């Protein structure tokens, strides 16, 4: 019997009842704008910021319209100017180079290793080319953060972390997003909390926080940011910083607050699913598991494996066969950008030399979403399907 999976790879869980209730209360009040509060009231957005700052152990938090907006704001707030070069990952998603382009700066891509993290040798080699690294923890893979920070500290590089896939993850006990000067998170539907759209920004740097608050569109209401720095920090910043509106609203904040309370548990549930799939994929000939280091606390909201040195025809064949059996895989090796997947050489607004070692890895990356609506049994079934299709194609030859 040929097994087929019938579930949906794009179906997330419903918003928790507490979030629905809170959203209804905001709508009933009519006060959806973050600065529209009744006397004595603290807005949902301001509360979200306080709670997320505490959860991440950071001094300051700002809630904004998207993860991409948080990153562009971070770049502006640390002083990136048009024409500046900014280091970033060759393996990431389009909003990352897009955030750099949004401030008129120029991405300089750093290669990807077979562990799917930024290549630290390549980073060290390019360290003299820029003052800022927009580090993308793409698909939740954390590089050796001690080694990375040592390279950047020695070269005077400011690190901004893109934690779109690592909210709740940690390296050696330190939460992702807390080691760089700024941590940026996304609340887009497919990330770890779901408000449809949204972004969060954390930092311990008072000036950077003040600039980000002004940039986000606080008018002169910056004192309404309970998770922001004290008034005096805004003294000159408030005259010098443009308002580039990208605020979060109370409706989204209301939906997010209960989700953040359960983040720990959700991360455990993702990992139960991730490791079940990983276990099922082990010992598949031709398939390379991306081994996760013990120092990394992962959040397995997606899984990747490598079909290294397979031909395009063979990879496409596996993807088509899995699709027929209900398993949706994505491939980062395609010459044409597709859906959510694109690669450094698809972003043609950037001049970038080819990176042969990274090209080899990218050509082998197969990627799959792991929504929490999957049961553990679904995960075993999906792994069996992938294993049998990869195995069959390997037998037939991968060139
Ligand atoms: C989703 C995502 C972002 C931010 O995206 P928004 O859609 O702007 O919230 C940033 N980096 C990566 C790697 C992402 O996947």
């Amino acid at each position: 019997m040929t097994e087929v999976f019938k579930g949906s790879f794009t179906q997330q869980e419903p918003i928790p009842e507490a979030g629905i209730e809170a959203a209804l209360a905001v709508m009933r009040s009519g006060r959806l704008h973050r600065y529209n509060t009744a006397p004595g009231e603290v807005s949902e957005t301001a509360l979200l910021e306080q709670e997320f700052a505490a959860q991440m152990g950071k001094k300051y938090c700002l809630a904004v319209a998207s993860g991409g907006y948080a990153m562009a704001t971070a770049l502006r707030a640390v002083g990136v100017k048009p024409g500046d070069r900014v280091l970033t990952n060759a393996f990431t998603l389009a909003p990352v180079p897009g955030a750099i382009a949004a401030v008129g700066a120029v991405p300089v891509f750093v290669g990807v290793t077979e562990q799917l993290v930024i290549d630290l040798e390549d980073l060290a080699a390019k360290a003299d080319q820029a003052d800022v690294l927009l580090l993308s923890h793409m698909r939740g893979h954390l590089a050796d953060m001690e080694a990375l920070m040592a390279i950047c500290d020695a070269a005077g590089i400011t690190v901004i972390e893109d934690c779109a896939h690592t909210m709740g993850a940690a390296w050696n006990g330190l939460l992702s997003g807390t080691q760089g000067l700024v941590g940026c998170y996304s609340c887009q539907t497919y990330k770890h909390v779901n408000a449809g759209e949204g972004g969060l920004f954390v930092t311990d740097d008072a000036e950077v926080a003040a600039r980000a608050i002004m940039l986000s569109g606080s008018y002169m209401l910056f004192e309404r940011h309970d998770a922001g720095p004290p008034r005096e920090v805004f003294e000159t910043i408030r005259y010098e910083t443009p308002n580039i509106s990208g605020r979060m609203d109370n409706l989204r904040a209301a939906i997010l607050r209960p989700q953040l309370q359960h983040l720990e548990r959700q991360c455990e549930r993702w990992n139960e699913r991730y490791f079940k799939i990983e276990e099922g994929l082990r010992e598949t000939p031709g398939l390379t598991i991306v081994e996760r280091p013990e120092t990394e606390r992962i959040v397995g909201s997606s899984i990747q494996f490598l079909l290294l040195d397979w031909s395009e025809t063979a990879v496409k064949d596996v993807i088509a066969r899995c699709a027929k059996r209900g398993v949706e895989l994505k491939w980062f090796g395609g010459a044409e950008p597709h859906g959510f997947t694109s690669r450094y050489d698809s972003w043609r607004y950037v001049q970038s030399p080819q990176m042969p070692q990274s090209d080899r890895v990218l050509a082998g990356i197969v990627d799959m979403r792991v929504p929490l609506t999957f049961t553990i049994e679904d995960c075993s079934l999906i792994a069996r399907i992938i294993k049998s299709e990869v195995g069959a194609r390997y037998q037939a030859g991968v060139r």
Side-chain angles (χ1 to χ4, degrees):
M1 192 195 72
T2 309
E3 292 183 302
V4 174
F5 177 62
K6 298 248 163 58
S8 164
F9 283 80
T10 51
Q11 183 59 56
Q12 301 294 55
E13 292 188 301
I15 301 302
E17 281 306 317
I20 296 174
E21 288 299 322
L24 287 173
V26 168
M27 286 191 282
R28 292 200 169 103
S29 79
R31 295 187 294 277
L32 273 70
H33 192 273
R34 67 167 298 159
Y35 302 121
N36 180 203
T37 49
E41 183 184 35
V42 181
S43 74
E44 287 282 342
T45 310
L47 289 169
L48 169 70
E49 290 169 341
Q50 286 175 25
E51 289 164 4
F52 193 65
Q55 195 167 353
M56 293 293 122
K58 298 305 269 187
K59 284 192 189 147
Y60 312 114
C61 174
L62 173 68
V64 293
S66 72
Y69 184 90
M71 293 186 286
T73 302
L75 293 168
R76 280 199 182 92
V78 305
V80 174
K81 299 272 177 312
D84 287 357
R85 288 146 73 89
V86 175
L87 294 159
T88 194
N89 305 59
F91 174 49
T92 184
L93 239 58
V96 179
I100 297 170
V103 303
V106 180
V108 176
F109 296 114
V110 182
V112 59
T113 69
E114 283 179 42
Q115 281 67 50
L116 302 192
V117 297
I118 193 164
D119 181 344
L120 295 182
E121 258 178 56
D122 196 26
L123 177 64
K126 291 174 178 163
D128 60 349
Q129 295 188 30
D131 299 327
V132 175
L133 166 66
L134 179 53
L135 171 66
S136 184
H137 304 299
M138 176 63 171
R139 289 295 187 257
H141 297 272
L142 291 169
D144 177 337
M145 287 300 291
E146 285 100 26
L148 183 143
M149 291 307 296
I151 293 169
C152 291
D153 289 345
I157 293 174
T158 298
V159 178
I160 296 170
E161 294 183 71
D162 163 25
C163 305
H165 306 156
T166 53
M167 182 190 276
W171 179 265
N172 216 355
L174 293 176
L175 281 169
S176 184
T178 61
Q179 282 166 282
L181 186 63
V182 181
C184 301
Y185 306 81
S186 171
C187 312
Q188 184 253 45
T189 289
Y190 297 114
K191 312 300 164 85
H192 299 174
V193 288
N194 174 11
E197 302 286 357
L200 291 159
F201 172 114
V202 297
T203 185
D204 281 338
D205 187 298
E207 271 194 45
V208 167
R211 279 197 208 101
I213 289 169
M214 294 305 299
L215 284 163
S216 76
S218 59
Y219 318 109
M220 286 294 157
L221 300 172
F222 50 84
E223 284 174 283
R224 309 271 283 274
H225 285 255
D226 302 287
R231 187 189 165 80
E232 56 271 19
V233 184
F234 291 88
E235 217 41 74
T236 50
I237 285 170
R238 65 189 180 135
Y239 300 108
E240 293 168 352
T241 313
N243 178 326
I244 305 175
S245 293
R247 295 170 298 270
M248 181 175 280
D249 59 87
N250 289 334
L251 198 50
R252 278 175 202 175
I255 291 171
L256 289 170
R257 289 179 59 216
Q259 294 183 55
L260 282 168
Q261 276 174 21
H262 299 125
L263 181 63
E264 256 324 272
R265 176 71 195 121
Q266 297 295 79
C267 293
E268 283 166 19
R269 293 176 62 221
W270 262 305
N271 290 350
E272 284 162 20
R273 285 157 181 76
Y274 179 98
F275 287 115
K276 183 52 84 176
I277 298 168
E278 187 194 75
E279 179 192 317
L281 293 180
R282 285 198 181 274
E283 273 134 57
T284 305
L287 179 151
T288 307
I289 300 271
V290 182
E291 300 291 351
R292 311 303 294 258
E294 256 177 39
T295 27
E296 185 187 26
R297 190 234 177 180
I298 76 157
V299 181
S301 54
S302 70
I303 189 164
Q304 293 71 43
F305 58 84
L306 298 172
L307 299 179
L308 271 181
D309 304 321
W310 286 45
S311 72
E312 174 163 352
T313 322
V315 176
K316 282 187 168 165
D317 190 35
V318 165
I319 289 170
R321 288 183 197 215
C322 287
K324 263 199 188 146
R325 297 176 65 180
V327 175
E328 259 178 55
L329 301 175
K330 296 188 217 125
W331 182 45
F332 277 87
E336 274 301 305
H338 218 73
F340 287 93
T341 58
S342 55
R343 29 182 290 155
Y344 73 94
D345 48 2
S346 346
W347 306 316
R348 293 187 198 163
Y349 54 88
V350 187
Q351 303 309 255
S352 174
Q354 285 301 125
M355 290 185 269
Q357 279 177 325
S358 295
D359 291 343
R360 173 173 174 259
V361 175
L362 285 165
I365 302 176
V366 181
D367 174 40
M368 188 180 88
R369 262 194 196 121
V370 185
L372 287 174
T373 49
F374 287 1
T375 64
I376 305 297
E377 181 37 46
D378 289 340
C379 294
S380 303
L381 170 61
I382 288 165
R384 284 198 299 278
I385 293 172
I386 297 172
K387 185 168 194 162
S388 75
E389 293 301 343
V390 171
R393 179 65 220 210
Y394 187 77
Q395 292 290 309
V398 301
R399 297 311 307 171

